[in-house]
Amino acid sequence: MGGDAFTFKFLGLTFNATNIISGLVIYAIVFFVLFGMSRKIQMKPKGAQNVLEWLIDFTNGIVRSQMPNEETGHYSFLAFVLFVFIFFANQFGLIFNLSWNNQEILRSPTADPVVTLTFSLMVIVLAHFAGIANKGFGGYLKGYVKPFALMLPVNIIEELANFLTLGLRIFGNIFAGELLLKLVAGVAFSHGALTIIPGFLLELLWQGFSVFIGSIQAYVFVTLTTVYISRKVSE
Amino acid sequence: MFVNSVLAESNSLYVGDLVFYIVTFIILMLLIKHFAWKPVTDMMKKRADKIASDIDNAAKSRENAEKMAAKRQAELQNSHQEAADIVNNAKKSGEVQRTQIVEAAQNDAQALKQRAQEDAKQARRDALNGAKDDVANLSIEIASKLIHKELNADDQKELIDSYIEGLVDHES
């Protein structure tokens, strides 16, 4: 978007500095927001504690609606952290989109397919491990020939498709949103005062819509995560 | 195909980011679990337990209160009964005392009247007796005066003295 990816090599692996800087900033934001909200924990909640408890209830509700009650324990925590992180990551690029020397420094890390596929890979691997841990290796393999043996290739393709769609869906939404923000900004400054006012309004409109999309995508990602895990764990 | 679609956005596949994000995300999860998730969910669980026990306690104390209220009601009824009994007893004993007092007063009055009548009769009798004596004395004196008319001065004087003495005697 705002220039080339700023990559460097370390220990034989290629790193993208934009993603790493943005990721660290978002980690810090997520941590300090949650840290600040959980300082004065009381029996009778007040202020920030109410917000945090509402958030926990919200993600717990997503998990509870997808899996049996006795399995929710650890996954509700994963869902909570995933939701908060992806939500902040999605909104981050709408506010901070920083470039320097034609190289991006800050943007949404979720506008990069490598990052989103990292998260979907994490979730899918976790789901498969949970399936093996819960039903044993035999029970896990039997899941591929359900409802009958002929479905084996379809099931394998489905697993791969789950992994790709989970990551690429959020990448597509956030990437497209930020790209359009850039384009509208470019149009707004192209013809001076003639375009700056409609451009400003259009940018405002699209930013609001992007906030909405970012929240929905965080919700969808967490919901699908719990769906994939519960499908491996239950039955 | 997959590698191409990813490479289309970026110039090279930066696998390092994958490792970076997995490691840092796990660190973030550990930190959040320790600093935010645990205290809040513990408190939520504690609150849920407290509310459950509060509901139980409320049911218990309501039961107790109902029992107490029934007991109070019974006691109140008893005390009404007792009060009525006390008033009735007081009325009865008052009635009895009244009749007793009236009877005693009537008896006293009767006795007083009788004694007064007796006294009056006695006085009349005494008076009659006294009058009889006086009449007798007077007639005797008149007779003796008539008889002593012929006496001398000394005798006369003696007679008068005796008369006066008799008068004094009679008076005393």
Side-chain angles (χ1 to χ4, degrees):
Chain A
M1 289 183 278
D4 303 325
F6 179 27
T7 58
F8 63 91
K9 279 193 178 281
F10 182 68
L11 295 174
L13 297 169
T14 312
F15 289 87
N16 184 342
T18 311
N19 284 345
I20 288 174
I21 294 167
S22 310
L24 285 176
V25 170
I26 291 164
Y27 281 137
I29 292 173
V30 168
F31 177 73
F32 282 112
V33 164
L34 293 180
F35 185 79
M37 283 205 281
S38 60
R39 274 320 81 196
K40 275 183 281 170
I41 300 294
Q42 294 164 312
M43 185 63 91
K44 206 171 145 194
K46 232 167 54 183
Q49 197 192 341
N50 271 326
V51 178
L52 185 56
E53 288 190 7
W54 173 81
L55 202 60
I56 288 172
D57 268 339
F58 175 69
T59 56
N60 280 358
I62 296 173
V63 176
R64 255 201 307 274
S65 62
Q66 300 297 343
M67 41 176 98
N69 223 358
E70 63 268 19
E71 301 285 353
T72 56
H74 299 292
Y75 303 126
S76 55
F77 174 59
L78 174 73
F80 172 68
V81 181
L82 260 184
F83 179 80
V84 175
F85 176 75
I86 291 175
F87 178 80
F88 274 101
N90 287 350
Q91 312 301 350
F92 186 69
L94 300 178
I95 310 162
F96 304 105
N97 221 318
L98 196 71
S99 295
W100 188 61
N101 274 355
N102 206 27
Q103 282 186 326
E104 285 188 305
I105 295 175
L106 292 179
R107 64 159 185 186
S108 283
T110 42
D112 190 314
V114 173
V115 176
T116 56
L117 286 172
T118 300
F119 280 100
S120 83
L121 182 70
M122 237 195 291
V123 165
I124 296 293
V125 168
L126 180 72
H128 284 255
F129 264 107
I132 293 170
N134 230 47
K135 298 193 289 192
F137 198 64
Y140 163 74
L141 286 181
K142 250 181 228 163
Y144 284 100
V145 289
K146 270 179 185 170
F148 42 84
L150 219 64
M151 292 291 276
L152 179 65
V154 176
N155 280 336
I156 291 173
I157 290 171
E158 194 199 343
E159 295 300 330
L160 193 66
N162 282 350
F163 160 62
L164 280 178
T165 54
L166 185 62
L168 293 180
R169 178 183 301 109
I170 188 167
F171 152 68
N173 275 286
I174 304 306
F175 178 72
E178 293 193 2
L179 196 63
L180 200 57
L181 276 185
K182 274 259 155 68
L183 290 177
V184 170
V187 169
F189 289 112
S190 60
H191 288 93
L194 189 70
T195 51
I196 202 159
I197 292 168
F200 178 80
L201 289 175
L202 204 61
E203 184 90 343
L204 201 69
L205 201 70
W206 185 249
Q207 232 165 3
F209 192 56
S210 290
V211 169
F212 176 67
I213 286 176
S215 315
I216 290 290
Q217 285 306 315
Y219 175 74
V220 167
F221 190 91
V222 171
T223 307
L224 287 176
T225 296
T226 52
V227 167
Y228 293 155
I229 292 174
S230 76
R231 250 206 294 192
K232 288 288 167 202
V233 165
S234 56
E235 285 168 55
Chain B
M1 175 198 84
F2 155 63
V3 171
N4 278 341
S5 74
V6 171
L7 282 177
E9 207 278 315
S10 53
N11 304 322
S12 58
L13 184 60
Y14 19 90
V15 187
D17 284 13
L18 192 146
V19 178
F20 170 79
Y21 269 93
I22 289 175
V23 171
T24 48
F25 190 74
I26 288 168
I27 292 170
L28 178 75
M29 278 176 73
L30 291 175
L31 284 175
I32 288 176
K33 183 155 202 163
H34 183 258
F35 285 109
W37 177 264
K38 256 232 153 75
V40 174
T41 47
D42 281 358
M43 185 51 77
M44 284 163 88
K45 196 172 178 310
K46 245 190 261 172
R47 188 181 307 133
D49 292 348
K50 187 179 180 295
I51 288 168
S53 74
D54 279 359
I55 288 169
D56 289 350
N57 283 345
K60 244 181 242 168
S61 51
R62 220 189 84 187
E63 226 169 79
N64 274 351
E66 269 169 15
K67 258 187 226 163
M68 286 288 267
K71 210 171 138 194
R72 292 269 157 75
Q73 196 63 35
E75 272 170 10
L76 197 67
Q77 221 118 41
N78 277 353
S79 61
H80 270 307
Q81 194 61 42
E82 261 171 50
D85 284 353
I86 287 168
V87 169
N88 276 350
N89 281 349
K91 262 189 201 165
K92 259 182 218 163
S93 67
E95 199 74 27
V96 169
Q97 257 180 344
R98 193 176 75 102
T99 48
Q100 275 175 350
I101 288 167
V102 167
E103 248 168 54
Q106 271 175 341
N107 286 347
D108 278 359
Q110 203 71 32
L112 269 175
K113 207 170 135 192
Q114 248 167 11
R115 207 182 309 151
Q117 274 175 344
E118 261 162 42
D119 280 357
K121 270 183 195 159
Q122 187 67 40
R124 193 163 147 255
R125 229 177 284 140
D126 285 355
L128 272 176
N129 285 346
K132 262 185 214 159
D133 287 356
D134 279 355
V135 169
N137 282 344
L138 268 176
S139 51
I140 289 168
E141 267 172 36
I142 291 166
S144 57
K145 266 179 195 164
L146 286 173
I147 296 162
H148 282 92
K149 212 162 182 179
E150 315 286 305
L151 296 179
N152 53 25
D154 290 345
D155 292 339
Q156 191 90 17
K157 201 181 167 198
E158 217 171 311
L159 182 72
I160 288 163
D161 283 349
S162 72
Y163 179 71
I164 288 166
E165 258 172 49
L167 206 70
V168 170
D169 277 356
H170 191 252
E171 283 233 326
S172 63

